[in-house]
Amino acid sequence: MSRIRTVRGREVLDSRGNPTVECDVETDDGLFRAMVPSGASAGIHEAVELRDGGRRFHGRGTRRAVDNINNIMSKKIVGMDCTDQNGVDDLLIELDGTENKEQLGANAILAVSIAVCKAGAAATGKKLYEYVGELYGKPYPRMLPVPQHNIINGGKHAGQENSIQEHMIMPVGAKSFREALRMASEIYHALKNILKKRLGAGAVLIGDEGGFAPPQLKTIHERLDILMEAISSVGYEDEIKLAIDSASSEFFEDGIYRLEGKEMSAGELIDYYSDVVSSYPIVSWEDGMAEDDWDGWVEMTKKLGDRIQIVGDDLLVTNPRRIKKAIEIRAANSALIKLNQIGTVTETLEAVKLAHSNRWTAVCSHRSGETEDSFLADFTVGVSSSQIKCGAPARSERLSKYNQLLRIEEELDKEAKYPGEKFRTK
Ligand code: PGA
Ligand code: ZN
């Protein structure tokens, strides 16, 4: 047992230069720090990220959230046992008292929750991933995740409209995480050379998640063709599969999907996706349908769910209630897991458990606005997730997670599996 001595919040900046919340928790074992990420194409059902409004930071200030940590949460949490993650998270939820954490702010609550988790690991003398595994509550198979690397950025992350948001590579043929990251890096640089040679210097400017954002490539076909070319130029045709995130809520309005200059119904869009899936080695498709188009999701899962992973992000928002519904009506077969969509470590663990116990995959994910905090890497290994989505193999706010996974893999040595072959079927 180790008591929480102090809890202090502060406003810092994220990878986009927007304010976010950091929290320091102090115990007898030292000081433990957490920073929370922030989305751009956030779902409307996510827990509330508290922002100040007004002119300061264009309204995006987090002073109110920070004040809530320093004046409200800290008063209740100081003195508690930092290994009581459940107790702390329950108390934070109760203190907030709202369904979507709008009172204290999910950004404030999550910063405290993660900092307490780090303190708990230290208090028990465990590695953070091991400690998360214990909180998760299962004797877990040691596993490093297969990364989904978003190396061509579109949509909101690249200042574009009516376009697919993420074009990702998954090094499924690698034997280890280390090898996967090397392959991804080689492809990333090969892609850069091809883009620059063919389309000029403007094509290698990067989007929010570290991938290239060539404005000349407007359709998914153009983007995937050049991606495939980069993959084969370094000889990895057999080792790499592709994953897509449409973030389709961004191009859905009044029942119509407006993508790449076309207007489509849900059915027409699914047919379009089907053709793409038949033409490229795609194994995973996230947010193909909009966040409340449940019928569209059911239809897409019926049509493509036995061939590829159908991942719900804005649809499910890491919320056990929405995940449960999706499982019941078969609206997807995989949940994207983002800690800040729900706001506490305990609820996020619950969301992963729900997915895994229904034989769904759980893809642990960063946000487009990130920080140098690497908690996500330990969390992913802790819950034995088969995949992590954390952007391109470039930019330190992305690499902080990937590099931490390298360290974890080294530590676990041969004990840890790399589950790439699970996705090699196509
Ligand atoms: P966001 O995007 O962090 O901007 O919401 C990531 C995603 O859609 O997966
Ligand atoms: Zn998404």
Side-chain angles (χ1 to χ4, degrees):
M1 162 132 140
S2 181
R3 297 231 172 263
I4 296 171
R5 280 205 213 141
T6 63
V7 177
R8 183 175 302 117
R10 76 176 59 81
E11 184 179 62
V12 294
L13 297 190
D14 71 13
S15 59
R16 276 192 282 249
N18 286 322
T20 188
V21 181
E22 173 172 280
C23 178
D24 290 349
V25 161
E26 220 185 323
T27 67
D28 287 344
D29 303 298
L31 186 144
F32 303 92
R33 175 168 293 160
M35 305 168 87
V36 300
S38 169
S41 61
I44 54 172
H45 301 290
E46 294 189 19
V48 172
E49 187 180 68
L50 200 62
R51 299 279 178 189
D52 298 337
R55 288 177 58 187
R56 192 173 168 274
F57 282 118
H58 302 279
R60 301 190 61 82
T62 55
R63 267 187 185 163
R64 278 199 296 153
V66 166
D67 286 349
N68 288 342
I69 293 179
N70 293 337
N71 303 332
I72 301 171
M73 295 185 231
S74 69
K75 291 205 166 65
K76 298 282 181 184
I77 296 233
V78 166
M80 282 183 84
D81 175 7
C82 69
T83 63
D84 182 13
Q85 186 74 38
N86 255 310
V88 169
D89 287 343
D90 282 352
L91 183 78
L92 294 174
I93 291 165
E94 193 187 309
L95 267 179
D96 174 83
T98 66
E99 189 68 27
N100 55 3
K101 303 190 174 65
E102 64 187 301
Q103 187 63 35
L104 298 175
N107 43 354
I109 292 173
L110 183 64
V112 177
S113 182
I114 293 178
V116 167
C117 185
K118 291 180 180 180
T124 54
K126 299 215 155 65
K127 298 285 183 186
L128 187 50
Y129 60 86
E130 238 177 327
Y131 182 68
V132 170
E134 260 175 35
L135 293 176
Y136 182 61
K138 273 173 72 177
Y140 55 103
R142 304 249 198 207
M143 207 196 281
L144 266 293
V146 176
Q148 296 189 355
H149 294 287
N150 178 13
I151 62 173
I152 296 186
N153 292 189
K156 242 189 182 164
H157 299 162
Q160 298 166 5
E161 275 177 7
N162 307 98
S163 87
I164 299 282
Q165 181 175 278
E166 302 175 20
H167 312 73
M168 298 175 278
I169 51 172
M170 293 175 67
V172 302
K175 298 280 174 292
S176 62
F177 179 79
R178 188 179 334 132
E179 195 186 9
L181 193 59
R182 175 178 58 76
M183 287 176 177
S185 163
E186 289 173 13
I187 293 165
Y188 181 79
H189 290 285
L191 177 63
K192 183 173 185 175
N193 286 336
I194 295 172
L195 284 169
K196 197 169 171 187
K197 230 178 255 164
R198 193 151 318 152
L199 302 168
V204 295
L205 298 178
I206 58 168
D208 286 349
E209 297 187 349
F212 305 109
Q216 299 93 334
L217 304 180
K218 301 217 186 297
T219 68
I220 187 167
H221 291 92
E222 290 172 297
R223 293 168 181 179
L224 294 186
D225 284 344
I226 213 157
L227 202 49
M228 293 307 295
E229 196 182 326
I231 291 165
S232 43
S233 77
V234 282
Y236 293 143
E237 301 93 322
D238 294 338
E239 280 81 11
I240 302 292
K241 300 290 181 192
L242 304 182
I244 301 292
D245 179 5
S246 292
S248 68
S249 302
E250 300 293 327
F251 55 81
F252 178 76
E253 211 185 335
D254 301 328
I256 297 169
Y257 291 91
R258 293 184 176 79
L259 179 66
E260 300 170 359
K262 293 186 276 290
E263 296 201 344
M264 290 180 263
S265 65
E268 287 165 341
L269 184 63
I270 294 165
D271 287 342
Y272 183 61
Y273 291 164
S274 283
D275 285 344
V276 176
V277 168
S278 304
S279 311
Y280 301 93
I282 290 170
V283 293
S284 178
W285 203 302
E286 179 183 331
D287 277 2
M289 298 286 119
E291 56 207 337
D292 283 315
D293 186 4
W294 289 95
D295 292 344
W297 276 92
V298 170
E299 202 183 324
M300 181 166 173
T301 305
K302 203 183 277 171
K303 188 135 191 197
L304 292 170
D306 53 354
R307 290 163 70 191
I308 59 170
Q309 181 174 261
I310 308 285
V311 189
D313 171 13
D314 290 354
L315 175 78
L316 306 174
V317 293
T318 316
N319 185 321
R321 249 184 311 114
R322 290 182 73 91
I323 296 173
K324 205 176 232 165
K325 175 174 173 180
I327 289 167
E328 273 163 21
I329 65 171
R330 295 172 197 252
N333 58 31
S334 175
L336 201 76
I337 300 295
K338 291 168 165 171
L339 287 131
N340 81 324
Q341 282 183 326
I342 187 76
T344 63
V345 171
T346 302
E347 289 164 292
T348 313
L349 291 168
E350 202 188 315
V352 177
K353 236 177 268 178
L354 190 56
H356 281 168
S357 62
N358 284 280
R359 275 173 288 132
W360 276 32
T361 48
V363 181
C364 294
S365 170
H366 68 161
R367 300 307 303 248
S368 51
E370 262 298 335
T371 74
E372 56 267 39
D373 193 317
S374 61
F375 181 74
L376 181 69
D378 286 84
F379 184 87
T380 305
V381 176
V383 300
S384 305
S385 165
S386 60
Q387 294 154 83
I388 188 169
K389 178 175 108 149
C390 207
R395 304 288 134 184
S396 287
E397 78 277 9
R398 315 292 146 191
L399 266 316
S400 69
K401 287 71 164 169
Y402 295 138
N403 287 338
Q404 174 67 0
L405 288 169
L406 291 177
R407 294 178 202 111
I408 294 174
E409 187 171 66
E410 183 183 293
E411 227 165 64
L412 293 175
D413 195 19
K414 290 183 179 51
E415 235 187 291
K417 283 201 179 54
Y418 177 78
E421 65 198 29
K422 261 178 84 166
F423 305 95
R424 296 201 66 176
T425 48
K426 219 174 148 238

